[in-house]
Amino acid sequence: MAVLEMQRIRICALKKNRKHILELLQREGMIEVCDIIHEDDTFHKMDVSLPADLLRKGTSLAKDAIDILDKYNPENKSGSNMLKGRKEVSTSVYDSFAKKRDSVMKKCNRIVQLDKIIAESKAEITKLNTQSEILQPWLNLDIPIDFKGTKYTRSFVGTLPNLWKLDEIYQELAEEMPLNVDIISSSKEQTCIFVLCIKDKQEAVSDKLRSIGFSYPGLTDAKNPSQKMEQLQSEIQKNQKTIEDCMNELKDLGSIREDICFLQDYESMRLEKYNVLGRLLQTSKVFILTGYIPKKEANNLESKLNQRFELSVEFEDPDESEDTPVLLENNGFSRPIQDTIEGFSPPGKYEIDPTMITSLFYYVLYGLMLSDAGYGLIITSACGLLLVKFRTTIEETTKNFLKMFLFCGISTIFWGIVFGSYFGDMVDVVSNTFFGEKITIQPLWFFPVKKPMQMLLFSMALGIVHLFTGLGMKCYQCLRQKDYKAILYDVLLWYVLLGSSVVYLLTMKMFVDIVGLTFILPASVAKVSGVLAMISALGIILTNGRESKNPFKRILKGLYALYGITGYLSDVLSYSRLLALGLATGVICTVINKMAAMAAVGAIGPIIFIIIVLLGHTLNIGINALGAYVHTTRLQYVEFFGKFYEGGGRKFEPFDTNTKYYKFKEKMENG
């Protein structure tokens, strides 16, 4: 609804109170700390790089420990747990945690160490299993694989490719007799053999074996394969026992999960504080903190600080040239869309907060795209129930998300009633299938499936209203900046051109017949609108390049600006997606209902009917609700914002307790 006015704040206080002051400011979350003033011979900044690095490591260590516990000893988390938000604790809990911080840190290190041991043991088991697989074909060999022979003999232990028979091997080595050949094992891929020959024949036998593809195995050991296999299995069991012991220890350490979660938040808060500490200007006795604060919060914070500490607080308005942060404030109806605005970009200098107007169109357009009263009732009921059930614990971001879909659901119910869609034609199908008499709930306006052209015309008309509202927002911004020329040249001329073009179309019989209107404006209106369109077009050509001193460039820029009317045409056509998505929802509903009705035969027919309806409509509402969300956002970002909004502002980032698991009460117990 508004961009909050910011003020510069300067706090000068005694250094002995620095810790307590920073903790109060952090919990209040009202100030964005900035370097508005700089170092000099008296005031300097503190180097906090070393403690900040240690705190980052501590935060990372706690996060890693939690991830490891979740991997080996996961908590039972339901969907409702995500809506319960962070656990609220008092500041005394935060202060007392310092005593056991080191103990929890050691246990985090132990958790990370256990995870490393488990990973190393698993890798070792994989390696041992690979060696066992390689050794498997040699188990029948009762001598070591690297056996080279005796004083008078030479042995060859290795493999031949493919499957060989004993007589085939002897035939290949016949010229080198006497010798002995044993097949240890064989398969289609390889044949494991043991060859023993007299020492005088070893070179000839070796050459012959190589000629038929002989190769030595990848394993060598002084033990025979059976003994080696026993050793490998023993080592595998030892590593498995190590993993089991580590898992049991991790299970026991799971009891301190809450302490580890608190440690992560504790270190994160301290890191935030040290980052601010490094931006303070300090002497040996005092320090100065500067930044920005919303003007509406200034007196409140000043009062809290003066009640607890001896200090000086000064406020002043920022200069026009300053990069002042942007903080938006909106009511409960529009606040859910604020995140959508900030997702695009906060308002830039001199721009207004478009959240209120955007929220009105957002809910309307979303409802039109889904436009089914049954689906809207499901969305509204689900969001409303969650908001009520978790109203005291739900986080603000999640709350806004649910509220956005609550209002979108209400809009969907409205448009579903207007267009007579209740889970598509569910009422017709159920009444006709199970009661033999078709009952139809008539729409308040018309059925879009039966009158698609009328729906298309309505969609485009709504699009024109949306775009004209965007131009109106631009007019308001120019009025605030007292840029009256821009109001005339960049807004009013476009209003006249676009409005007269629409009126001119309504005087054309071909256009009226295409869109199915029952009236046509007289030719005299066409002449007036044509003249107005020409005058406004000429005005755009002459004025939209007014920043150029060169007349030729000015005209060229004006012609280019007039070419922008094609952009308005494409923007209006973009609103045909209201028809497309609305029809898609209705048509898919109808198909699902007909499929269910066709299957509703026999004694179990009603059960099959219910199953098809539940599965089909669940899938349909999921797909089309997501599609409506995406396309509604696109219409805001591209078509609507393109007429007046540039963004580029810097979001207000206060010094705050940006924690994940816990939040702390505002009341301070120290100072």
Side-chain angles (χ1 to χ4, degrees):
M1 203 166 181
V3 178
L4 289 182
E5 186 178 353
M6 289 287 170
Q7 282 191 314
R8 286 200 302 254
I9 181 172
R10 182 185 294 112
I11 299 173
C12 183
L14 296 175
K15 201 168 183 179
K16 65 179 182 179
N17 295 326
R18 184 181 63 189
K19 176 179 181 294
H20 297 328
I21 291 173
L22 290 180
E23 287 178 353
L24 186 146
L25 294 177
Q26 186 174 30
R27 286 165 186 155
E28 292 294 331
M30 295 180 184
I31 295 179
E32 178 181 299
V33 179
C34 298
D35 300 325
I36 297 177
I37 56 178
H38 303 286
E39 293 180 277
D40 55 26
D41 295 336
T42 304
F43 289 92
H44 63 277
K45 292 182 180 180
M46 177 180 176
D47 183 9
V48 297
S49 57
L50 181 58
D53 286 341
L54 292 174
L55 289 169
R56 286 190 194 94
K57 291 178 181 178
T59 304
S60 178
L61 177 64
K63 182 181 182 302
D64 290 343
I66 294 169
D67 291 341
I68 292 167
L69 289 178
D70 287 339
K71 180 169 65 173
Y72 295 111
N73 187 25
E75 283 185 312
N76 293 324
K77 294 182 179 179
S78 63
S80 62
N81 287 336
M82 299 176 62
L83 297 169
K84 290 181 179 178
R86 295 172 294 170
K87 184 178 179 181
E88 187 178 78
V89 296
S90 65
T91 55
S92 61
V93 176
Y94 173 87
D95 294 334
S96 62
F97 186 78
K99 297 177 182 178
K100 62 177 181 179
R101 173 191 173 275
D102 292 342
S103 173
V104 177
M105 192 75 77
K106 288 179 181 178
K107 291 178 180 178
C108 288
N109 278 310
R110 178 57 180 165
I111 290 172
V112 173
Q113 183 184 18
L114 289 171
D115 181 56
K116 183 179 179 181
I117 293 172
I118 290 173
E120 290 174 348
S121 297
K122 286 182 176 179
E124 184 66 19
I125 288 174
T126 301
K127 185 183 78 171
L128 293 171
N129 282 328
T130 302
Q131 293 178 3
S132 297
E133 290 176 6
I134 296 173
L135 193 62
Q136 193 68 35
W138 300 99
L139 291 180
N140 292 329
L141 184 66
D142 54 4
I143 60 173
I145 292 178
D146 61 353
F147 177 69
K148 300 301 182 184
T150 64
K151 183 177 180 181
Y152 301 104
T153 62
R154 174 70 168 90
S155 69
F156 298 89
V157 181
T159 61
L160 295 175
N162 305 319
L163 180 63
W164 287 74
K165 293 181 180 179
L166 189 60
D167 58 344
E168 293 174 340
I169 301 173
Y170 270 113
Q171 187 175 353
E172 292 290 340
L173 301 174
E175 296 179 1
E176 314 304 332
M177 297 294 288
L179 51 77
N180 177 72
V181 179
D182 290 322
I183 294 179
I184 309 303
S185 66
S186 61
S187 65
K188 291 181 179 180
E189 291 76 23
Q190 68 175 12
T191 301
C192 299
I193 64 172
F194 169 73
V195 179
L196 187 67
C197 67
I198 60 176
K199 215 158 196 178
D200 294 341
K201 295 278 188 177
Q202 64 177 355
E203 292 185 4
V205 171
S206 177
D207 292 341
K208 200 65 175 178
L209 286 172
R210 279 200 300 271
S211 69
I212 59 175
F214 178 83
S215 61
Y216 291 99
L219 289 174
T220 59
D221 199 273
K223 300 176 181 178
N224 66 45
S226 297
Q227 293 172 332
K228 181 63 176 178
M229 181 64 80
E230 290 178 2
Q231 179 188 344
L232 293 175
Q233 293 302 315
S234 175
E235 291 179 9
I236 289 173
Q237 291 175 3
K238 182 180 178 182
N239 280 278
Q240 288 174 338
K241 181 66 169 57
T242 300
I243 292 173
E244 184 180 348
D245 292 341
C246 290
M247 296 277 284
N248 290 332
E249 188 174 350
L250 284 171
K251 188 175 181 180
D252 293 337
L253 287 169
S255 61
I256 64 161
R257 185 191 299 267
E258 289 192 4
D259 285 340
I260 299 174
C261 292
F262 199 98
L263 175 65
Q264 181 176 339
D265 285 350
Y266 183 81
E267 296 293 281
S268 177
M269 286 180 62
R270 293 181 67 208
L271 177 60
E272 289 280 343
K273 188 165 64 175
Y274 268 91
N275 287 336
V276 169
L277 198 60
R279 308 181 78 167
L280 303 181
L281 293 176
Q282 307 181 63
T283 67
S284 60
K285 299 293 184 180
V286 299
F287 73 92
I288 297 176
L289 180 148
T290 58
Y292 295 97
I293 184 173
K295 188 173 183 178
K296 59 177 290 189
E297 303 288 353
N299 291 334
N300 180 33
L301 181 64
E302 182 180 17
S303 175
K304 290 182 178 181
L305 287 170
N306 285 325
Q307 286 175 8
R308 293 168 172 81
F309 310 103
E310 294 182 3
L311 45 72
S312 169
V313 183
E314 297 178 2
F315 301 100
E316 58 184 351
D317 294 328
D319 297 333
E320 290 292 324
S321 59
E322 286 186 42
D323 183 21
T324 310
V326 176
L327 179 62
L328 306 180
E329 183 180 57
N330 290 279
N331 57 32
F333 178 77
S334 301
R335 178 64 184 87
I337 304 300
Q338 188 170 300
D339 292 336
T340 303
I341 303 296
E342 293 174 346
F344 181 85
S345 179
K349 280 187 180 296
Y350 312 115
E351 287 190 323
I352 61 174
D353 177 11
T355 307
M356 182 61 187
I357 300 299
T358 302
S359 64
L360 289 172
F361 281 104
Y362 197 98
Y363 301 142
V364 169
L365 296 177
Y366 186 98
L368 263 172
M369 290 186 187
L370 202 54
S371 62
D372 186 277
Y375 288 179
L377 182 62
I378 291 175
I379 294 173
T380 303
S381 301
C383 293
L385 179 64
L386 293 173
L387 285 168
V388 171
K389 184 176 181 180
F390 300 100
R391 61 186 178 278
T392 58
T393 59
I394 192 170
E395 294 292 333
E396 188 67 21
T397 302
T398 308
K399 180 181 179 181
N400 289 329
F401 183 77
L402 290 175
K403 285 180 70 176
M404 181 187 75
F405 277 100
L406 175 72
F407 293 129
C408 287
I410 294 171
S411 174
T412 302
I413 293 174
F414 171 78
W415 289 112
I417 295 173
V418 168
F419 296 130
S421 180
Y422 303 85
F423 296 103
D425 58 349
M426 178 67 75
V427 176
D428 303 52
V429 171
V430 171
S431 60
N432 188 48
T433 303
F434 296 105
F435 301 101
E437 183 178 353
K438 186 175 181 181
I439 300 175
T440 301
I441 300 178
Q442 294 298 323
L444 292 183
W445 192 5
F446 65 93
F447 286 116
V449 176
K450 295 181 179 179
K451 297 181 179 180
M453 286 305 301
Q454 187 172 343
M455 183 63 187
L456 178 62
L457 181 63
F458 172 67
S459 300
M460 292 184 174
L462 183 60
I464 292 173
V465 172
H466 197 200
L467 297 177
F468 274 29
T469 303
L471 278 174
M473 299 281 281
K474 183 175 183 177
C475 179
Y476 180 65
Q477 286 185 169
C478 294
L479 188 62
R480 290 183 62 189
Q481 299 169 29
K482 297 182 180 180
D483 189 355
Y484 303 114
K485 288 184 179 180
I487 294 175
L488 175 61
Y489 300 150
D490 299 337
V491 178
L492 295 182
L493 286 178
W494 278 103
Y495 266 134
V496 174
L497 176 60
L498 296 172
S500 58
S501 298
V502 172
V503 172
Y504 188 82
L505 288 174
L506 295 177
T507 65
M508 299 173 62
K509 187 175 186 306
M510 182 178 68
F511 176 79
V512 171
D513 291 340
I514 289 174
V515 298
L517 294 177
T518 57
F519 66 90
I520 183 170
L521 298 180
S524 58
V525 175
K527 292 180 180 179
V528 174
S529 60
V531 171
L532 289 175
M534 291 180 64
I535 293 174
S536 57
L538 182 60
I540 290 171
I541 293 173
L542 295 175
T543 61
N544 271 254
R546 57 186 179 275
E547 69 278 0
S548 296
K549 295 182 179 180
N550 188 312
F552 182 69
K553 287 184 179 180
R554 189 180 306 168
I555 296 298
L556 287 179
K557 288 184 177 181
L559 288 171
Y560 181 76
L562 181 63
Y563 179 73
I565 195 170
T566 60
Y568 278 94
L569 176 61
S570 65
D571 288 344
V572 172
L573 291 175
S574 291
Y575 289 86
S576 62
R577 70 187 67 240
L578 298 174
L579 165 70
L581 269 75
L583 288 182
T585 304
V587 170
I588 295 174
C589 284
T590 302
V591 172
I592 293 169
N593 295 337
K594 286 185 177 180
M595 290 173 58
M598 292 170 61
V601 180
I604 63 171
I607 298 175
I608 298 175
F609 179 91
I610 292 172
I611 292 173
I612 293 175
V613 165
L614 289 176
L615 292 177
H617 284 289
T618 300
L619 182 63
N620 192 31
I621 191 174
I623 293 174
N624 285 288
L626 177 61
Y629 170 75
V630 171
H631 288 286
T632 302
T633 304
R634 183 201 176 281
L635 286 174
Q636 304 294 338
Y637 283 172
V638 179
E639 278 72 27
F640 185 55
F641 285 178
K643 302 299 170 283
F644 72 98
Y645 190 70
E646 294 182 2
R650 181 172 64 83
K651 185 178 178 181
F652 181 67
E653 299 288 352
F655 174 39
D656 202 355
T657 55
N658 297 314
T659 54
K660 183 176 181 181
Y661 300 100
Y662 293 89
K663 55 184 175 182
F664 301 90
K665 294 180 182 178
E666 297 292 336
K667 184 179 178 182
M668 292 289 293
E669 298 181 1
N670 51 17

